[in-house]
Amino acid sequence: MNDKELLPWLEKATLGDESAFQLVYQATHQDVYRTVAFLVYNKQDIEDIVNEVYMRMWRSFHKYDPNRPFRFWLHGITIHLIQDWKRKAWRRIRLFERNRQMTCEQFDWTDRTVLQFEMQHELFRLIRQLSYKLRVVIILRYFHDYALEEIADMLQIPVGTVKSRHHLALKELRKRFEIKGGDEYVY
Amino acid sequence: MSIDKELREELRHMADSMHCPPDLYGRVRRSYQHYVNEKRGRSPMKKRMLAGIVAAVILIPSAAFASPYLADAIFGSSAAIEQRGGTKEDYQVIEGMLQTAKGKLTEDEFKEYMKLTKQLMQLKLKITDQNGNKHMDKLTNEEQKQFEQLGSKLAPYFEKINGTAKP
């Protein structure tokens, strides 16, 4: 289902039509979930954020500009909430607990298949090791296929900053990839 | 293979293996229902809120302009001068004078003016009997002195009020 087809349903859902809600959820939830899961690793946090994204979707629908692609708006909300969450997480006093969690987080965040994939997929493991600021650019650029200008717009930072982060991320990936999996990597 | 292409493929591949947990649907649905209930419940509430705001908007200025009757600050209420042969009209005249003073004087000057006027009026009330006749001898020597001082202290304010009133 494309954006244009989805919009009337979304509007109905915001007015309280539950079947419209189901339809919107079905059409969007994998995308939202994956976007969040690429950027946040704790399973509980991922679910909290996905839930928040939907709340925000209903509440802010009146602010949506129909001239812009729906997905861009949706990803904007998602990224915004992830960053919100990161800020809050930063302030959390549960720092100690968090540190403890982080040590087992790598195995905790999703199911076994992912772990297996991670072992098979060196590049993915490297992406996950990038800092958030670099990773978000990589995800938006290569998973969602946004132009650097659109990413700048979404992250509300200058295009130059996006360019340099993009560049830095690729450099880092290349460097590590060459060292670790150089044989199969042809540039 | 270029790194661009490789990244795209890798992420697509990984994404396909990541599945939103099915029980998340229940949670999002509950939040949605909560949102719907809130929205439905809110509309009469919204109206009430709006009515409240409108009422406040109407009341606040009228309260700001009408309620602090300047003369009330001095006499408490019109009853004080009515007991001494004054009328409600007299009270209005005094109020008018005070309002003029408020318009002509600066804020600090007006504060001082009100303070002095209040003292003067207290003394005047003391010497005035029920029929409006004045008896200076009701005051102690000290109070008489104060009465005169107040008169001279207020004089420059009166000049200012009346002077600018008749340019």
Side-chain angles (χ1 to χ4, degrees):
Chain A
M1 181 179 290
N2 67 29
D3 288 5
K4 285 233 166 77
E5 287 166 342
L6 193 61
L7 281 179
W9 292 103
L10 188 59
E11 192 168 0
K12 276 187 203 165
T14 61
L15 298 173
D17 180 339
E18 190 153 339
S19 58
F21 154 74
Q22 275 176 23
L23 204 133
V24 171
Y25 184 82
Q26 286 309 324
T28 52
H29 75 291
Q30 291 291 11
D31 183 72
V32 173
Y33 177 80
R34 287 165 184 170
T35 308
V36 179
F38 273 138
L39 295 167
V40 176
Y41 298 154
N42 182 285
K43 193 169 182 293
Q44 192 54 51
D45 290 339
I46 296 172
E47 296 186 5
D48 286 354
I49 294 169
V50 171
N51 188 38
E52 276 297 311
V53 168
Y54 282 95
M55 288 304 277
R56 185 66 67 89
M57 210 197 279
W58 319 129
R59 293 212 164 111
S60 311
F61 182 67
H62 64 280
K63 289 189 213 153
Y64 167 65
D65 171 8
N67 297 318
R68 303 195 76 172
F70 168 71
R71 301 263 162 193
F72 185 83
W73 181 70
L74 177 61
H75 292 145
I77 292 179
T78 310
I79 295 294
H80 188 84
L81 286 170
I82 291 171
Q83 289 182 344
D84 246 24
W85 172 85
K86 291 222 171 253
R87 264 197 296 275
K88 271 185 230 147
W90 188 249
R91 287 195 209 117
R92 258 175 231 166
I93 318 162
R94 297 184 351 211
L95 215 76
F96 176 76
E97 198 191 334
R98 204 140 262 288
N99 281 343
R100 193 177 53 76
Q101 264 181 11
M102 250 145 71
T103 50
C104 41
E105 204 172 78
Q106 281 158 330
F107 304 98
D108 169 62
W109 73 286
T110 34
D111 44 297
R112 259 159 214 265
T113 39
V114 172
L115 188 64
Q116 212 180 345
F117 264 114
E118 219 188 66
M119 292 197 298
Q120 287 166 4
H121 293 256
E122 182 70 5
L123 185 56
F124 182 63
R125 204 175 62 78
L126 293 174
I127 294 170
R128 279 168 57 79
Q129 282 174 359
L130 288 176
S131 73
Y132 172 78
K133 281 179 181 176
L134 301 185
R135 196 166 66 238
V136 70
V137 173
I138 291 295
I139 300 299
L140 290 175
R141 179 78 192 93
Y142 297 106
F143 180 55
H144 289 308
D145 268 320
Y146 283 117
L148 296 182
E149 288 77 16
E150 290 174 309
I151 296 172
D153 191 7
M154 195 178 283
L155 298 178
Q156 293 177 323
I157 53 175
V159 182
T161 311
V162 176
K163 279 183 185 158
S164 76
R165 283 181 192 173
H166 179 241
H167 180 77
L168 202 65
L170 287 188
K171 199 171 131 193
E172 207 130 301
L173 289 174
R174 275 192 191 116
K175 192 175 75 189
R176 296 200 213 163
F177 203 48
E178 261 165 19
I179 294 168
K180 295 189 176 168
D183 301 344
E184 22 176 326
Y185 175 60
V186 186
Y187 176 54
Chain B
M1 203 184 336
S2 78
I3 194 155
D4 285 19
K5 202 172 169 216
E6 201 155 338
L7 279 167
R8 274 201 185 90
E9 274 180 15
E10 184 85 347
L11 289 172
R12 177 50 46 207
H13 197 67
M14 291 314 301
D16 288 344
S17 71
M18 285 154 68
H19 295 290
C20 185
D23 47 334
L24 192 53
Y25 172 72
R27 185 170 164 196
V28 174
R29 186 162 163 264
R30 274 195 301 282
S31 301
Y32 171 74
Q33 283 164 341
H34 181 79
Y35 155 82
V36 172
N37 288 337
E38 205 178 58
K39 197 180 161 75
R40 287 198 180 126
R42 206 168 50 187
S43 69
M45 184 72 174
K46 235 182 191 171
K47 273 178 214 157
R48 255 176 270 158
M49 280 261 289
L50 261 174
I53 291 167
V54 169
V57 165
I58 295 169
L59 284 175
I60 290 167
S62 61
F65 294 121
S67 142
Y69 226 65
L70 291 171
D72 285 350
I74 289 177
F75 298 105
S77 77
S78 61
I81 71 161
E82 278 167 40
Q83 281 165 6
R84 288 170 175 79
T87 62
K88 280 213 164 87
E89 283 71 40
D90 293 337
Y91 200 66
Q92 287 301 335
V93 171
I94 296 171
E95 174 66 19
M97 272 168 52
L98 295 173
Q99 291 289 358
T100 320
K102 193 177 185 179
K104 303 274 179 189
L105 300 173
T106 68
E107 204 174 313
D108 286 342
E109 282 175 337
F110 182 68
K111 245 186 200 162
E112 186 62 22
Y113 171 80
M114 282 295 280
K115 202 178 104 192
L116 296 171
T117 308
K118 188 169 182 178
Q119 288 171 3
L120 185 71
M121 288 303 171
Q122 293 303 328
L123 293 176
K124 279 199 177 175
L125 286 177
K126 209 166 177 183
I127 58 172
T128 311
D129 66 18
Q130 288 168 344
N131 302 317
N133 298 319
K134 292 182 171 59
H135 306 280
M136 278 304 267
D137 51 338
K138 277 192 179 172
L139 297 178
T140 62
N141 282 343
E142 214 168 289
E143 282 174 328
Q144 285 188 19
K145 223 181 201 171
Q146 199 194 353
F147 189 85
E148 280 162 27
Q149 276 175 355
L150 284 169
S152 55
K153 273 188 196 165
L154 275 165
Y157 291 111
F158 283 129
E159 263 169 41
K160 198 162 185 183
I161 296 163
N162 296 326
T164 41
K166 294 173 230 155

